Amino acid sequence: MRPAASVLLLTTATGFGFGLLAWLGAYSVLGLLPGHARVLIAAGVATSLLFASFGLGASMFHLERKERAWRAFSQWRSSWLSREGVAAVLTYPVAIAFAAVFWRDGPVIWTRLLGATALVASLGTVYCTAMIYASLKPIRQWHNRHTAADYLLYAVFSGAVLFATLRTLDLGAPGATASAAAAAAAGIALIAKRAYWRHIDAQTPLATLAAAIGLPKGIEARPLDAPHFTENYILRQMGFAIARRHAVKLRRIVLIIGFALPLALSILAGLTLAPMATTTLAVACTGVGLLLERWLFFAEATHVSAVYYGRRI
Amino acid sequence: MTMLPERAPGAKRLGLVIDLDTCVGCHACAVNCKEWNTGGEAGILPDYDKYGPEPDGVWFNRIHSYETDGQGCSRTVNVPRSCLHCEDALCVTVCPTGASYKRVQDGIVLVDTDKCIGCQLCSWACPYGARELDEEAGVMRKCTLCVDRIYDEHLPPAEREPACVTTCPSRARHFGDLADPDSKVSQLVKERGGVDLLAGLGYRPTNKYLPPRRATIPTAPAKPPAPGGKGIGAALLGLLDKALSR
């Protein structure tokens, strides 16, 4: 599948934003935030909504007819893309109310409830995003049990490193809990990514060419003449293929920059070793690594319709 | 509304039956499809770089040619590929705007190009690659089963069928109601063992393909050559035959 910049930015940035909001919500629910944390909450919610807005804004560039985007809120009964839009828009007022009530009242029952709602709403939005991909049956690398879990994990992970940075800005150090959480999330995300790659490498193509053209068993087919001599829309979108050797290299880069470095940096920050520098660097590494990871998620995905052109699926 | 409609009892399921045995791969159906639909209600079907080195454009129907083995000999099988108007059309349910829909009365899957935002998710959801983006209008386009022909009462009844069907010179394309077990198309599917493409994915396409039949024509066994006869004449003729065969 062709990796479109708009979609890579959308999924990565909303992952950061809603992941951060989820951590703010979780901390509030667990009562880990003292009364003076209202600045942290306000700044955190603002940051998370900024990231989310950047991602949602980027996604607009994927639409050919942006002026009609409002129509996308209508089909939430069947479409995960529509649900994503509705969930994202519903998350905003919840997040703002959470920050506002915490600013006024501090950690009371209402802020805990609002924090819980923000946690559910933000992760719910990420889940909807993931299900857009996970529900597409023609793409075996997406239509599996890894996709939704992985998107949630990467959101929680990127939110955790962002949260650690905010804590450092607020208190001078991320604190043991936040840095441990970031390191643990990085480790789990790394294991999940490796498991995902193992899974898609072991998959077999969804169909043979013979099955795709309805031939009886025992008959083999190979392409003789294509319908057209130049690349068309289908081949540009669905026929995108990345060379295996590049994929292997890029996977290694993702594992190091996207997961291993943030893990190490989060541990260093937890040990109060230049926490400002280490947490900021962890965010930068996570951003670059996850963008590359998302690029691979698309570039390595194959669409069954390419089989009609005799391409690898 | 992108929810798939409940099928009303007795509702039609219009579709095509394509005979892979008799399709000669002439692309006439694709050309007539383009011709008819470029003048259709949804506007022209665009072509890009028309006279340049990389011509490209939107077509609702694409004709592939394949070589097959396993029927005793190698042969060419031509496969026209277009929208199959699936019963479980994922392209419809993923649409966030309601632009993509399946008609309740006849099962035709259509795009309302006035509502489409060009997010292209439907094209990802279709395993048959039947949806193509109109890069000029920024909306998704697809086969309409010539909905603007088949119900047009200004046309003589014999012409009220999709453009691809009317034009096929080898009559490899058939149009009809696949919900009616007595229709010509349903009978054809029954007789010839019509199949779904990519049946394993579970889209339950309406269009059916008739697999190529075994390409053998029964003939009488070859007879051994008649004996040349006896005598000096036959021997001379044998010699002459040998000399000429050299």
Side-chain angles (χ1 to χ4, degrees):
Chain A
M1 300 297 292
R2 188 178 69 87
S6 51
V7 180
L8 306 187
L9 287 173
L10 158 76
T11 56
T12 313
T14 53
F16 267 100
F18 291 129
L20 173 62
L21 187 58
W23 279 106
L24 294 169
Y27 260 62
S28 161
V29 172
L30 297 171
L32 292 171
L33 292 171
H36 62 256
R38 62 187 195 173
V39 178
L40 175 74
I41 294 284
V45 167
T47 311
S48 72
L49 296 185
L50 212 67
F51 268 92
S53 306
F54 174 74
L56 295 169
S59 79
M60 290 290 287
F61 288 93
H62 192 69
L63 304 183
E64 293 281 328
R65 300 293 293 255
K66 298 170 190 57
E67 78 281 8
R68 297 174 178 171
W70 59 273
R71 289 189 182 275
F73 296 109
S74 65
Q75 303 302 314
W76 47 270
R77 289 200 299 156
S78 72
S79 164
W80 283 106
L81 178 51
S82 189
R83 286 172 197 162
E84 178 200 36
V86 171
V89 165
L90 287 179
T91 307
Y92 277 70
V94 172
I96 291 165
F98 170 49
V101 175
F102 199 98
W103 186 272
R104 201 187 62 191
D105 299 337
V108 293
I109 181 73
W110 291 113
T111 43
R112 282 194 180 198
L113 274 176
L114 279 168
T117 316
L119 170 71
V120 171
S122 54
L123 291 185
T125 309
V126 173
Y127 181 73
C128 290
T129 304
M131 286 308 291
I132 295 173
Y133 306 106
S135 64
L136 294 175
K137 287 199 279 185
I139 305 164
R140 61 180 167 87
Q141 293 89 345
W142 295 356
H143 184 63
N144 56 55
R145 66 203 148 78
H146 287 262
T147 303
D150 284 1
Y151 266 76
L152 285 169
L153 265 176
Y154 304 146
V156 167
F157 155 53
S158 53
V161 287
L162 200 52
F163 182 64
T165 312
L166 283 179
R167 292 272 290 188
T168 312
L169 275 171
D170 188 28
L171 307 164
T177 325
S179 47
I188 295 169
L190 186 148
I191 292 165
K193 190 78 246 182
R194 289 186 50 125
Y196 168 77
W197 283 331
R198 255 201 312 279
H199 178 75
I200 63 168
D201 290 345
Q203 281 178 323
T204 49
L206 280 180
T208 61
L209 177 54
I213 59 176
L215 294 180
K217 280 213 166 66
I219 301 185
E220 274 177 29
R222 53 190 172 273
L224 189 63
D225 279 324
H228 40 91
F229 297 110
T230 56
E231 296 281 288
N232 70 340
Y233 169 76
I234 295 295
L235 287 174
R236 279 192 299 273
Q237 279 285 322
M238 330 285 178
F240 187 95
I242 175 186
R244 270 261 183 265
R245 59 202 166 88
H246 293 323
V248 169
K249 252 185 222 160
L250 286 169
R251 281 181 180 187
R252 226 171 281 153
I253 294 172
V254 166
L255 286 184
I256 293 168
I257 297 182
F259 302 109
L261 275 178
L263 194 155
L265 289 165
S266 297
I267 292 171
L268 291 181
L271 301 170
T272 58
L273 212 84
M276 201 55 243
T278 41
T279 49
T280 317
L281 200 57
V283 171
C285 286
T286 308
V288 172
L290 284 186
L291 268 177
L292 205 55
E293 176 274 323
R294 217 48 53 88
W295 189 88
L296 272 179
F297 179 74
F298 278 82
E300 290 194 291
T302 55
H303 193 281
V304 71
S305 68
V307 79
Y308 288 103
Y309 290 89
R311 301 215 176 167
R312 188 176 65 83
I313 57 161
Chain B
M1 179 50 68
T2 58
M3 299 290 283
L4 289 171
E6 289 281 322
R7 247 176 62 73
K12 284 194 274 191
R13 233 170 73 214
L14 297 182
L16 302 174
V17 171
I18 298 170
D19 191 342
L20 299 184
D21 201 44
T22 51
C23 175
V24 293
C26 68
H27 294 237
C29 53
V31 173
N32 202 28
C33 166
K34 180 86 172 173
E35 166 76 27
W36 177 263
N37 285 293
T38 204
E41 236 174 90
I44 58 159
L45 283 184
D47 285 307
Y48 325 117
D49 197 20
K50 293 185 208 50
Y51 307 107
E54 297 281 320
D56 179 20
V58 177
W59 293 68
F60 294 163
N61 191 8
R62 305 269 189 185
I63 320 304
H64 297 258
S65 295
Y66 302 104
E67 197 175 13
T68 66
D69 283 328
Q71 282 182 311
C73 59
S74 144
R75 62 182 290 178
T76 303
V77 176
N78 304 298
V79 182
R81 179 175 57 84
S82 60
C83 172
L84 307 177
H85 301 280
C86 301
E87 280 293 279
D88 284 332
L90 196 61
C91 59
V92 168
T93 54
V94 299
C95 176
T97 66
S100 210
Y101 64 104
K102 186 170 175 68
R103 283 163 47 116
V104 66
Q105 64 269 45
D106 51 22
I108 299 178
V109 175
L110 292 175
V111 178
D112 181 344
T113 49
D114 289 336
K115 285 186 185 162
C116 177
I117 58 174
C119 73
Q120 304 163 54
L121 188 56
C122 57
S123 70
W124 296 1
C126 173
Y128 307 103
R131 287 171 168 248
E132 300 191 11
L133 182 73
D134 177 338
E135 287 165 32
E136 281 173 5
V139 293
M140 198 54 76
R141 305 292 295 275
K142 67 175 293 300
C143 160
T144 65
L145 206 64
C146 283
V147 71
D148 53 349
R149 267 189 85 101
I150 57 178
Y151 291 111
D152 187 351
E153 290 179 0
H154 297 296
L155 290 174
E159 285 181 31
R160 290 177 208 163
E161 50 183 14
C164 57
V165 176
T166 56
T167 207
C168 178
S170 62
R171 294 313 247 165
R173 304 179 71 97
H174 307 269
F175 165 70
D177 179 10
L178 284 137
D180 172 9
D182 299 324
S183 69
K184 192 190 79 184
V185 281
S186 298
Q187 289 297 320
L188 205 50
V189 170
K190 210 172 132 194
E191 282 165 26
R192 296 276 309 280
V195 293
D196 291 346
L197 300 191
L198 294 171
L201 289 185
Y203 282 64
R204 296 197 291 141
T206 301
N207 288 9
K208 302 279 184 265
Y209 284 75
L210 307 179
R213 287 175 278 203
R214 250 186 102 80
T216 47
I217 300 163
T219 51
K223 282 181 198 150
K230 276 178 191 165
I232 187 87
L236 274 174
L237 276 176
L239 270 176
L240 195 61
D241 181 49
K242 251 187 203 168
L244 288 173
S245 304
R246 215 170 268 167

